[in-house]
Structure formats: structure tokens, C-alpha cells
Amino acid sequence: MSDTEQPDAQSAAPEDVPGEDLSSATPDEPAQSAPEPGETGAAPSSGDPEAVAAGPANEPVAADRSGDNRPSAQDTGRASRRRETGDGGDFTRYQQARQQNALNKLKRSAVAHGSGSAFYAEQLTIGADTGVEIQVLSVSALTIAQQLDSHQDVDQQAQMAARLAAQHIVVLAGQPGSGRRSTALTLLAGCCSDDSVRILHSEAPGILQALCRRADELLTPGGYLVDLDDQPLKLSTLETLGHLARKQGAFLVVIGEPGPVDPDRLRPHAFEHRRPLLGDVLAVHLRRLLAGHPGVCTREDCTDEHTTAFITRMLESPQVQRTLDGAPSVGSVVEFAEVLAQSVHTEDTSLGEVINQWRDRLRRLAKRLLHVPAETSQGPVLDPHRQAFRIAYAFFHGHPLSDVFEAGEVLSATVLPRYETREPAPTNHVFERELDQLIPQEMRASADAAPGGRADDNPRRARLVDEELMHAVIEVVWHDYDSLRDPLREWLTALVSGPLERIRVRAAQIAGILLSHDFDSVYRDLIRHWAGESAAYRQSAALALEMAAHDPRLVHRVRGQIRSWLSSPRWQLQDSAARAYGTLVGAQDVPDTLWALRELGTRPELAFSSSVAFSMSWLYLAGAPGPTADALDHWITSDNDHLNRHAIRTLLILSRYGAGPDRRDRPVLADTAMTDQDRADALVRLWRHALMGKDSSTRAWDLLRRWLLAGDADKELAAFLELLVPRICSRPLSLRAGFYLGMWAGRHPDSPTIGRLRHQPVRGGLTTGSVS
């Protein structure tokens, strides 16, 4: 919800509580467009945490031939009433979009790990079915045989195998590209037959929790590989799954990323997975590829001795060694081995050309894919739709095809015509634009039914032959087509004002990748304007800087730019700074981020903005709950009314989040306070201020009701709430608490937690540190 827009009736208040009257206007606040319909009927949708776009979804962004499609002064200069929001639902949708848009590989390490949200952000649900869909995909015996033939053992592999055989479950925590999948398949092959290995796949988070509930249905005797991607894992979930695997006679190998999956906390079931020596990987694949070469080669001098000598020279070559040192993954070394094997009869003087060919293979492929022949079946007619669709397909790798169609249509039909003269106009026959013709096979992943298991995507998604091809296309579009820069900037600007969060997030991340190629130009002509406009644009500017900050060369420039926004007299830039601190940039230096957010929170210009609260919530969920909770406690007891308001908003957002995969119904704030008295005291102070606030009381009471209902399924939580709620509801809240508890008891007669609290006498005195 935009900090300058009136909330939607369904998102501003809970389902059965009337919406409350929020704070009044400030005359100097620019107006935003009316809220646009979201993806579902539940709430408005947006790419920024406040879930409102810059304008209606079907309204194209105005632009002239120069590519300046920013809103006019007339559009942004009107005054309107500013409304605050404490609803966390929009924040949830925004965080889910960020997780779905994680970019794990970037060309030549320009960015190390996309948005990389390494935390669990599950909306609090009360006994609801998660609806996680799990696909079971069989691995062929031939694939297992190939893995065993070429696999290189890693550190502690013998201990991994022993643990799997004894306990039926093992966890490998390693970076993507470290050979985790090969190790996992090798371990499973050692415990079960080659034709009984399967992969469990799900696009949604919570696959292990769903597997625990459906173990009798999904687990049969055999081996199973589960890839968590960047999802977290707790010891209790792992032990439960291990017990179920032993019961069913199944063997499970779970692979995840360091951070979300911490081997130290999951011992003895987890191991750190380091990639094998890349020289050994190259050697074994060269020997495999050239094993039968002399028998099929037409050259008379080709013998086993010749291929053996070639392999030896390659492994001893300084050029090859330098190439291996810069290889991003084990898979890239396998590809390098294939290129070298094809050059077995090439002179050593041409080795540099062979290496360059491998390094630039994706860039050359990108140039070939974007090149339009001068002559077509209809004559010398340019087909911009084909180019635009290929660019959209590459940029939105992993997204549903509907996103690709929508983004490609904006580029080809709305943006490019402003920069091109099309005479004669190309004919447009609908049935001539089938996907196989628009996207060549060399660009798409081989057969959507690949063993990796993406055949039954629903909806179907864009799948590139190599994830790094996306970044090669970005580089080629920016550097090799001089007249395409303005249309590209305009296209990204149009996308970040669209109706879908996932499209907005990906467009902002593409802008961040462009920053790594040309920071000065992209910031001057794109990001700076986004940072000074509406909420959707400001959030996109923050995400773009987050993406750029993964390039080690740009970290200091990005942090300096955010600090410059913080010091700006323009409230829009200050708000952009607050949003930027709610990204991985803020998590890199938590003390500095908390200082900056406090500084921003004291300013009257951001009094009606929720960006400070959203960033505090993100920081809490991203792995710094202790420092963030301490800061909120200081804010709620501060003499500054603005800090009080931001602390209450943060409470209202975090109150909707569960504690983790295995404690979905337990609020994360309650989970941390149950074992820490100081946290419990601070939570009492936060709740009392929220329940008394004229702008927050209605939402706060309803969220407290949800906490009590969550206690019905969690005895420990219920016991904690029966001690905490009377402290929260002491005078002067006692009469109001009695009214609400009576009303809730009538609406939820089967709730034992509400029933016990209703008949429990409320403490008459004020709690320590409470408000009057």
C-alpha cells in the first residue's frame, strides 16, 4: 500500500473488523494514482511493499522519442490526503515476489547472488492447508551410471555415505555450482538400486514440511533428492523427516545453501559441501570424452597415445589453469572439457582462441539470437516482435510465459514504435507467432521435459538453455545496440509501474545488472528519476541498488548513494533511502542501518510513510531480530512521536509472520519472547501502544485475536499468551479488553485460549513501562 494512498477496504482492515479512520493529510504531499486491482480479489497488488502501483495497470507510461516517460509535473504535483498503513499483507506479497525473482547466476560474477533473501517470510496462517505441490521425478539408471563414471569425491564424502546409510537422511550445504547434485546422486546410488532414485521438486516454499505430512504417500523404498534452493531448514524438521524415512525404508539427501542451511546447527545430519578440485573434474571428463575417440577419428595419426598426451598438455597448461581458477561452477568446467575435447587436434598455439570461444559462447549466442536477417519470407521486412519477444524471454527466465507475453508486448507494441519508422508495416498473422518460431531451440532448455523435472510446469515457464544466457543478452542489448538504450530504459520504467509484483521486481533487478555495466549512465538516466517519483518507482530504485551492490566494485558507491538520499531535502529521496535499507544492503551493516532508519524515522517528512517500518520488519526477518527488537523498544519509549508510530507499524507487520517452517502457527515475535523475559517486556510495551493508538487500535486488536486463535493449536504459545495478554490488557485497557474478549468468545466458541482468558481476571495495575 502506498504511503500516500487510501488503503483498500479489504487490505486496510481484517476481514470482520470495520476499517478505522486513519490520520489526516499533509498539504505538501504529492498524490498517487488510484489503487489498481491486484492479482487476486484480496488486496491491491504491487511491486513495492505498499502494494500500489504508480498508475492504473492498463495505462501506458507517457513518453516522447527521447525515452523520458516519467510522470509529468502535473501528475505528481497535486496535493492529496496521505494515509498510513500497518497492514503486513502487502509486505508478504512483495517478499514472496522477491524470493521468486532470485537471480542465482550473473554473467562473469557481475552480481554474486541476485536478491538472495536468506530468511523465512511466511504469512501467519491458522491451521490452513499450505497447498504445496510436490512433483516426483524419476532419474534413469543411465543418468546414475554417468554420474558414477564421472563423479569426483569431495571432502567428507565417506562420512556422508555412512551417515546416510545409518540414519537414512543427510544434508549437504553448499554453494550452487559446487557439484552438490552429483554428490547427492552418488550417495543415493550407494544405498539403493540405480532405477529407484527420484527427485522431489516444488516451486513453492515449505517442501519438507509438506513431505512430512505426506510421507506415507510420497516416500517408498528408494532414494530421494530434495533441493531446498535458498529455503531454511531446522533441526526439528530434519529429525522428523529422518524418522519417517527410516519408517518407509527411504533414503533422503537434502541439498541447500549455506546460511539458510547451517551445518553447525544441524549436526550430525549435515555436512558442508565444498566443490572438488576443478583440475580433477576437467581430467576425468576429458578422459571420458576422448576414451573412444581414436576409434571414430578419420585421422591416421590419431591414437590413444595422442589423446593421452593431449590431456596431459591441457592439464599442465598455465592458460587452462587460469581458466579453471575463474570457473564459476563445476558445470562450467564440464562444458569447458567438451570444448577442449572438440579441439583435440588443434595446435597448442590456438589454445587461447579455444578458451576465448568457450568464455564468449553465450555472448555470441545472444548476438545471433537478436540478429534479424535482412531478408525474410515476406521480403526485407523487419520483425521487431521477434526481437522483443526474445529479449523478454531471456530477461524473464523462470517466469510464467504469461509474463513473457505481457512484457514482450509492451516492448514491441508500445515502446519500440516510438523509436522506429516502420514502412511498410509488417503483416501480423496470429498463427504465425507460435513459440517454437519466436524462440529457437538453441535458446530454450532442451525439451521442457528434462530429467530435472520442469515438464509439468503449471503455468509453463520460460526456461533458457543456460541461466547465464540471460546476463549475456543483457550485456549485448546494452553494449552492442547503441539505439536500443533509450527504449530499454523506457521499457523497464513501464514494467516497474505494472500490476504484478514479480514483473516489477525482475525489471528492477535488470536495472541493477545494468548498473554493474554502466553505473554513471544508468543511475543518471534511470535510477535517479525512479528514486524521486511514486512509491512503485522508489521501491524499484531501492531494488536496483541492492542488485548492483552484489558487484564488489560497486558496494561503496551504492552505500554512498543511499547515504546521499538520506541527506537529501526531498522527502521522496529520503523514502527511497529507507526502502534501500530494507534490502541486503542494509543487512550488510546492521548497526549503521538501524542508525539510518532511526534518523529517517524522526523526520516529519516520512511520518506517514510505511517504508521505515517495512525495512525494520525485513531486517528482523533477515537475520537480525535481536538488534532490531532492541531498537524498536527504544523507539516505543522515545519522546519522538514519529518513532513511536514507526515502531507500532513494525509490530503490526511482524505480528502476521510465523516463526518458521515447523512452527507456522506461532507468531515470530511471540517465539522470540517466550524464552527471553526482556523481549517479553518489550513486546508488552509495543502491544499496549498499538492497542491504544487511534490509528492502529482496530488492526492491533484483530491481530491479537489471531494470536489467541493460533494458541489453540500450540500449547506452549497458549501458556505464554495467558501470561502475556493480562499484562498487555491492564488498565486503562482492561474494560476494552473485556469487551473484545467477550465478542471473540461469541464468534469463536470453540477457542479454549479465548475462553480461559475471558474468565481470567485482568491485572489492575499498570505494567512496567506501559503507557497511560
Side-chain angles (χ1 to χ4, degrees), residues 111-191:
V111 181
H113 183 58
S115 65
S117 301
F119 63 93
Y120 190 84
E122 176 63 42
Q123 187 172 0
L124 178 61
T125 56
I126 308 300
D129 183 10
T130 59
V132 177
E133 179 181 350
I134 300 178
Q135 301 165 3
V136 183
L137 308 146
S138 297
V139 181
S140 67
L142 177 60
T143 301
I144 296 295
Q146 292 174 342
Q147 290 288 345
L148 295 175
D149 183 50
S150 59
H151 176 73
Q152 287 295 300
D153 288 355
V154 297
D155 290 344
Q156 297 184 297
Q157 183 163 326
Q159 293 89 325
M160 298 174 189
R163 189 68 194 178
L164 179 63
Q167 297 298 324
H168 289 237
I169 192 168
V170 71
V171 178
L172 308 182
Q175 295 293 343
S178 62
R180 301 173 303 172
R181 183 176 293 266
S182 175
T183 302
L185 294 177
T186 302
L187 292 174
L188 291 172
C191 294

Side-chain angles (χ1 to χ4, degrees), residues 247-261:
K247 178 182 176 182
Q248 300 295 123
F251 295 88
L252 273 76
V253 177
V254 180
I255 59 177
E257 297 183 10
V261 177

